[in-house]
Amino acid sequence: MLERLRYWRAARFAARHPFPEHAWAESRARLPLLAALSNDDAARLGQRAWQFLHTKRLSLHPELVATTPFDPPARLGLAAQACLLTLGWNDAEHEEAFSGLREILILPDAFTRQVEEMDEAGVMHEYVDERAGETSHQGPVVVAFPDLMDSGSHDGFNVVIHELAHKLDMGNSLDIDGFPPLPRGINPKEWHRVFTGVWEDLQARLARGEQTPIDDYAATHPGECFAVCCEVFFTAPDNLHEAYPDLYALLSRYFRQDPLTRFGSSSGDVS
């Protein structure tokens, strides 16, 4: 009965909102991340992104409205990068994953936040943090326009994937902790063990003054570790597979996707 209802809703949506083939083709032409998809994956992702645009708000900051071209291919491209995370999941799982998302707000530039954090010794530290994006449990997902324009390639950076990974992380808590709701096939102990190994490796490399194989922002917080690893998994999978093969395999099972087969050796280095 549920499947029949879902099919009826999809058919009704398609009749009311014909899929914009030309806009989707232009989105894929603009973004290497989307161009690398197989025809089957692209067709599935395009439909999901189109529905995403009709159920979520994509809002430009007033300062951007008059000066920034944000045409249908650009809007569809943003939605597709968000939906790429759930491409391997069924429709019900996809809808549930983003059920708490109402709006993506695009700001003119990066922004700052006053942050308070307590270290392991119990000492509170205050600092100003510059951010390309932000996600909260109830509010909109916020991304900076310049960073949005820098997303969509094979360089390990993607502000949309990063912030939407935080949204997945919040599926079982009010805050990010690097521990999203897990499918039955993944044991929470395995998740903790693999991510702890990556975290400890990043911390050790930084302590030795070495360059980290992924963006060292991953070493600032367990939730950021998950989000950065998701960015690299989708946009530079060979880097993640080479540095942390166990983590790559774990994320492949979690997302039910294997980006290595999608991109081959075309992904670039993380800066």
Side-chain angles (χ1 to χ4, degrees):
M1 180 61 118
L2 212 60
E3 282 302 316
R4 251 193 253 174
L5 177 60
R6 198 169 279 123
Y7 178 81
W8 176 81
R9 286 172 55 195
R12 187 180 181 200
F13 175 84
R16 290 185 171 187
H17 308 285
F19 183 70
E21 297 285 356
H22 293 298
W24 179 232
E26 178 61 24
S27 293
R28 296 191 66 199
R30 292 179 187 180
L31 299 174
L33 189 63
L34 304 181
L37 295 168
S38 69
N39 290 336
D40 287 346
D41 282 349
R44 180 176 171 82
L45 182 63
Q47 292 291 340
R48 282 228 175 133
W50 184 232
Q51 291 186 343
F52 187 95
L53 288 179
H54 287 81
T55 56
K56 318 295 182 184
R57 291 193 301 274
L58 265 60
S59 307
L60 285 177
H61 188 276
E63 289 181 21
L64 290 173
V65 171
T67 60
T68 303
F70 200 55
D71 59 6
R75 298 174 68 84
L76 200 52
L78 188 159
Q81 290 174 83
C83 294
L84 186 60
L85 282 93
T86 58
L87 181 60
W89 300 353
N90 64 37
D91 290 340
E93 292 166 330
H94 162 75
E95 291 172 9
E96 175 63 24
F98 293 142
S99 61
L101 173 63
R102 300 286 181 268
E103 179 182 13
I104 297 178
L105 172 62
I106 305 167
L107 299 185
D109 213 333
F111 52 98
T112 59
R113 288 284 186 266
Q114 188 74 28
V115 178
E116 294 183 353
E117 285 187 354
M118 185 175 294
D119 63 22
E120 294 179 356
V123 178
M124 186 66 74
H125 299 272
E126 296 185 13
Y127 60 93
V128 175
D129 185 31
E130 183 173 272
R131 299 182 177 183
E134 185 175 72
T135 301
S136 60
H137 190 263
Q138 293 293 338
V141 167
V142 179
V143 298
F145 183 75
D147 297 278
L148 175 60
M149 293 298 99
D150 286 340
S151 300
S153 191
H154 300 157
D155 58 2
F157 173 80
N158 192 293
V159 68
V160 178
I161 290 176
H162 185 105
E163 296 307 323
L164 270 293
H166 283 326
K167 209 64 178 175
L168 297 184
D169 196 349
M170 292 178 177
N172 55 6
S173 67
L174 297 179
D175 202 359
I176 63 168
D177 57 8
F179 225 109
L182 299 177
R184 289 183 180 179
I186 297 180
N187 189 308
K189 291 182 179 178
E190 179 188 10
W191 186 273
H192 181 266
R193 174 181 58 78
V194 172
F195 267 97
T196 297
V198 172
W199 174 266
E200 290 176 347
D201 180 71
L202 292 171
Q203 299 296 327
R205 288 174 185 264
L206 290 173
R208 295 193 298 265
E210 297 176 5
Q211 185 175 359
T212 54
I214 61 175
D215 189 341
D216 61 10
Y217 191 56
T220 61
H221 187 279
E224 299 301 346
C225 186
F226 171 65
V228 169
C229 288
C230 288
E231 285 183 85
V232 185
F233 175 77
F234 283 104
T235 68
D238 53 349
N239 287 7
L240 190 66
H241 184 267
E242 181 179 353
Y244 304 115
D246 288 348
L247 176 60
Y248 180 88
L250 182 65
L251 289 178
S252 187
R253 287 162 53 205
Y254 171 71
F255 287 113
R256 297 177 210 151
Q257 299 185 57
D258 187 1
L260 268 179
T261 62
R262 191 176 295 156
F263 301 130
S265 60
S266 64
S267 53
D269 294 332
V270 181
S271 57

